[in-house]
Structures are given as structure tokens and as C-alpha cells.
């Protein structure tokens, strides 16, 4: 919740003010100790005290890209969005140079083009030294006017992308800004006035009238003045041509970048189409392989089922054959007097009964010396029959 933008804050350049700082740098700021301890709960009034404690400028530094307190306070200003009057007072503050630089950096991010040139160009006359922390953690010495020139001419400062602004000569041509007047021009004019006042007065003795010698209108001075005007005009034309060439080169560079991006997009689309065709071929081959595998699996299952049914019928026939042989052997074994019973024990009862009958026959056999038997045998012999035993 502490990292959210003020609900009353207005959008800057069509977006959330905190989005003017890149997301990676912004996340580094949110994770820094200075942001959590020193920037928590700051308002537009208490922010001035923290800005007065600054002793250097810079973006991020070190291997883990730690943010500087200057960058943390700039993001805090984007979060709370102080009034324009407070920012202008920051810039006009001559006692604390880092407060002035912080206000200029914030105005460069959020201000309009006219405000940027109106409030930052006067700071070209501030030549005080300031310390700037580099990306490797070392400090370097710079000046306020150099920092302001970086804000007005560069596209990147303190690891933050600056919004693009129009060139000054474009604004002058459109009437938005007046031609810039350098502070040195006033010094030159004062010096010329002093020289003109020091010019000696000549007196015409016969007439007793003063002769001012046109007070500085001598031919040499006129030539010098014309030369200075020509030099100034030449310098302005040169600056105008340089800015125009820069804009033309910048436009050509943007056209080249646009053509390069267009060519990259075409190559990307071509590669995407190639990959899509390759994926379609791969999908088609995969589907074909899957169908072939399915047919092979069905054929194997069908052959396996046929082999299984054939094996079952063969096993049934073998089982029936074995059962028939078993039944025949069993039937044959039950008809024989020497067969085995169901319990596997040899039946010896018929043999025993036969032996008993033979014993009984031997005991009841007729006596051959019996007279009846002898007469019966004689009768049988006369009839041609065999004798009785």
C-alpha cells in the first residue's frame, strides 16, 4: 500500500506518474532500505527536509543496482505529485544546490515543453560543483549547468528515460518561446556603454563648442560592431543548421530503425509460418503414426484373439480325448474281475469265493467205489457215454 500513487494525482503523459521510472528500477527502489525507512509517509512539506540532506546525485550503482537517495526522492515526488509552485520553489532555491537539481529533474519528467525551457534554461548560469555517483559506485565531479544541459539535450539521465521534447528553434518558429537571450549579452552591452562613457570629449576652441565625435560612432567601432553582429548571426545560423541536421539525421535514424523493425517483423512472421508448417507436418506425421500404431495394435489383438480361440479349441479337444480314454480305461477296469475299485484296492473277494466253492466240491464229490456209481458207469458205457467223475 505504501507504494501506491496518490489517488488525487493526475496522469502524466497519459500514464501513471510512477511509470515514468522503468519497472526494474522502480522495483529496486521499492526494495531499498532508504525507501522503506526514510521515504515512508513523506509529504510535500516533509520532503524538503530530506532533499536538503542530499549530498550527491545519480541513478543506480553496484552489482545489485542499488538506487541512490536522489532517485528515491524523485520517485517519491512522482508518487505524491506536489504542486507546481512547490517544484518552482525547489528550482529557484539558491541555498541548496541538490534541492534545485531535484526540482529540475522532476520538472523535466513531468513538465510541459514550455515550462521545461522556461525554468531550466536560467540554471545554465549556475556553475556550482555537485557530486555524481557512477554505476560502479565511484563519485565524479560535475556542475549544475552540466546536469541541466544533460536534461535538455540527452534522452537518458540517472538511469531514467526522459520524455522527448521538441527543439528550441521549433518552438521559436511556432511562437511558443521567445528567442533565448544569454546573460553574457547584458554584460557585453554594459561593457560597451562603459567604453562609450569613457570616450574623451573634444572641444572646438574657436567656436567654444563641444565636439563629441559622434560618441562611439567612429568607423573602427562601427566595423567591430558589424563584425560582432555578423559573428552572432553566423553562430545562430550554424546552431540552426546543426539542429536541423540533427533532426534530419534523427529522422533518418528513426526511418532506418522503423525499416529494420519492419524487416524483423517480416522475418519473424516468415519464421512463424515456417514453424507452423513444420508443426502441421509434425502433427500430420504423428497422427499418421498413431493411426498406423492403432491398426497394428488392432491386428495384433485380432491375431492374439484368434490364436487364443484356436488354443482353447485345441485344449478342449485334448481334454475331451483324455476324458474319453480315461472313461474307456475305467470301464475296462470295472468289467475285469481283477480290476481296481474306486479306492484303488484289488478285489480279491471273487477269488476267495471260487476257492471256497472248489473246497466245497471236493468235500461233496461221489465215491468211485459206490455200487450205484459203478452201475451208472456201466450203463453209460453201454450207451457210449463217458463215465461219471
Amino acid at each position: 500500500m505504501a507504494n501506491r500513487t496518490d489517488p488525487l494525482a493526475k496522469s502524466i503523459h497519459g500514464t501513471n506518474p510512477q511509470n515514468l521510472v522503468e519497472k526494474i528500477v522502480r522495483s529496486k527502489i521499492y526494495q531499498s532500505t532508504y525507501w522503506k525507512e526514510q521515504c515512508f509517509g513523506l509529504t510535500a512539506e516533509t520532503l524538503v527536509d530530506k532533499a536538503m540532506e542530499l549530498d550527491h546525485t545519480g541513478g543506480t550503482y553496484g552489482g545489485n543496482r542499488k538506487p541512490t537517495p536522489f532517485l528515491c526522492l524523485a520517485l517519491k515526488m512522482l508518487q505524491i505529485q506536489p504542486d507546481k509552485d512547490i517544484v518552482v520553489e525547489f528550482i529557484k532555491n539558491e541555498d541548496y544546490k541538490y534541492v534545485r537539481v531535484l526540482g529540475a529533474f522532476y520538472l523535466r519528467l513531468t513538465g510541459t515543453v514550455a515550462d521545461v525551457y522556461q525554468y531550466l534554461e536560467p540554471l545554465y548560469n549556475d556553475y556550482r560543483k555537485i557530486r555524481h555517483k557512477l554505476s560502479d559506485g565511484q563519485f565524479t565531479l560535475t556542475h549544475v549547468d552540466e546536469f541541466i544541459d544533460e536534461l535538455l539535450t540527452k534522452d537518458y539521465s540517472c538511469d531514467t528515460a526522459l520524455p522527448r521534447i521538441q527543439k528550441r528553434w521549433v518552438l521559436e518558429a511556432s511562437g511558443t518561446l521567445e528567442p533565448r537571450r544569454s546573460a553574457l549579452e547584458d554584460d557585453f552591452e554594459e561593457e560597451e556603454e562603459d567604453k562609450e562613457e569613457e570616450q574623451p570629449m573634444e572641444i572646438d576652441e574657436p567656436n567654444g563648442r563641444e565636439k563629441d565625435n559622434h560618441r562611439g560612432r567612429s568607423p573602427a567601432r562601427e566595423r567591430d560592431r558589424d563584425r560582432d553582429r555578423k559573428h552572432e548571426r553566423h553562430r545562430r545560423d550554424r546552431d540552426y543548421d546543426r539542429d536541423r541536421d540533427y533532426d534530419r539525421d534523427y529522422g533518418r535514424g528513426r526511418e532506418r530503425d522503423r525499416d529494420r523493425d519492419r524487416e524483423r517483423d517480416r522475418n519473424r512472421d516468415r519464421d512463424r509460418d515456417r514453424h507452423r508448417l513444420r508443426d502441421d507436418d509434425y502433427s500430420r506425421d504423428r497422427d499418421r503414426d498413431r493411426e498406423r500404431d492403432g491398426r497394428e495394435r488392432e491386428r495384433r489383438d485380432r491375431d492374439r484373439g484368434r490364436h487364443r480361440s484356436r488354443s482353447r479349441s485345441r485344449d478342449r479337444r485334448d481334454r475331451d480325448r483324455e476324458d474319453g480314454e480315461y472313461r474307456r480305461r475305467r470301464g475296462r477296469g470295472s468289467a475285469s474281475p481283477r480290476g481296481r475299485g474306486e479306492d484303488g484296492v484289488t478285489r480279491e473277494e471273487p477269488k476267495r469265493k471260487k476257492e471256497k466253492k472248489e473246497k466245497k466240491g471236493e468235500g461233496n464229490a461221489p465215491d468211485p467205489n459206490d455200487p450205484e456209481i459203478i452201475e451208472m458207469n456201466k450203463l453209460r458205457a453201454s450207451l457210449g457215454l463217458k463215465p461219471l467223475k
Side-chain angles (χ1 to χ4, degrees), residues 239-251:
D239 295 341
Y240 177 80
D241 294 337
R242 186 173 61 251
D243 294 339
R244 185 175 56 193
D245 294 339
Y246 173 77
D247 292 338
R248 184 169 59 252
D249 295 338
Y250 181 78

Side-chain angles (χ1 to χ4, degrees), residues 88-106:
V88 172
E89 290 299 327
F90 274 32
I91 296 175
K92 292 182 178 180
N93 191 343
E94 298 181 356
D95 297 333
Y96 298 95
K97 50 189 177 182
Y98 292 103
V99 175
R100 168 175 281 189
V101 171
L102 180 62
F105 183 74
Y106 175 77

Side-chain angles (χ1 to χ4, degrees), residues 347-379:
R347 299 180 186 179
E348 296 180 354
E349 294 180 357
K351 186 185 293 186
R352 294 175 182 175
K353 292 180 178 180
K354 187 176 180 180
E355 292 178 355
K356 289 181 179 179
K357 287 180 180 181
E358 291 177 353
K359 289 180 180 180
K360 288 182 179 181
E362 293 177 356
N364 299 326
D367 190 6
N369 298 323
D370 191 0
E372 294 180 359
I373 293 176
I374 292 172
E375 291 180 0
M376 186 65 67
N377 285 336
K378 288 179 179 181
L379 181 61

Side-chain angles (χ1 to χ4, degrees), residues 9-203:
K10 300 178 180 179
S11 61
I12 304 298
H13 302 297
T15 184
N16 191 329
Q18 293 194 81
N19 293 340
L20 297 176
V21 180
E22 296 178 357
K23 180 175 178 58
I24 298 177
V25 179
R26 193 165 66 245
S27 61
K28 293 291 184 182
I29 294 175
Y30 291 157
Q31 296 172 4
S32 64
T33 306
Y34 186 86
W35 174 268
K36 296 178 181 178
E37 294 182 356
Q38 305 297 329
C39 298
F40 180 78
L42 288 181
T43 60
E45 293 78 10
T46 58
L47 182 66
V48 182
D49 299 333
K50 296 297 180 182
M52 293 169 58
E53 297 176 359
L54 292 176
D55 57 354
H56 64 277
T57 62
T60 57
Y61 65 94
N64 54 357
R65 314 307 298 170
K66 293 178 58 178
T68 58
F70 177 83
L71 194 59
C72 293
L73 291 181
L75 182 62
K76 192 65 180 180
M77 293 181 68
L78 293 173
Q79 181 182 3
I80 63 179
Q81 199 178 58
D83 296 336
K84 182 180 177 181
D85 298 337
I86 298 177
V87 179
V88 172
E89 290 299 327
F90 274 32
I91 296 175
K92 292 182 178 180
N93 191 343
E94 298 181 356
D95 297 333
Y96 298 95
K97 50 189 177 182
Y98 292 103
V99 175
R100 168 175 281 189
V101 171
L102 180 62
F105 183 74
Y106 175 77
L107 184 64
R108 176 64 178 85
L109 291 176
T110 61
T112 60
V113 180
D115 291 339
V116 169
Y117 282 106
Q118 179 182 356
Y119 291 107
L120 296 190
E121 281 186 343
L123 301 184
Y124 275 129
N125 301 324
D126 193 347
Y127 309 113
R128 287 180 293 181
K129 299 178 181 179
I130 57 176
R131 294 198 308 167
H132 183 78
K133 180 172 284 191
L134 302 176
S135 59
D136 57 355
Q138 301 294 329
F139 288 96
T140 183
L141 189 63
T142 183
H143 300 81
V144 176
D145 60 332
E146 295 178 357
F147 188 82
I148 298 301
D149 185 70
E150 180 181 348
L151 293 179
L152 292 178
T153 58
K154 304 296 182 181
D155 296 332
Y156 214 78
S157 179
C158 297
D159 293 333
T160 305
L162 302 176
R164 179 169 173 77
I165 58 176
Q166 297 176 343
K167 296 298 180 182
R168 181 178 178 81
W169 65 269
V170 178
L171 299 177
E172 291 179 1
S174 62
T176 306
L177 291 178
E178 297 180 356
R180 181 186 173 192
R181 183 179 177 85
S182 176
L184 298 178
E185 294 181 2
D186 297 336
D187 297 339
F188 288 148
E189 292 179 359
E190 292 178 0
E191 185 177 356
E192 290 180 357
E193 291 177 359
D194 294 339
K195 288 181 180 180
E196 290 177 358
E197 291 177 358
E198 293 176 359
Q199 185 71 21
M201 301 292 292
E202 295 182 2
I203 301 175

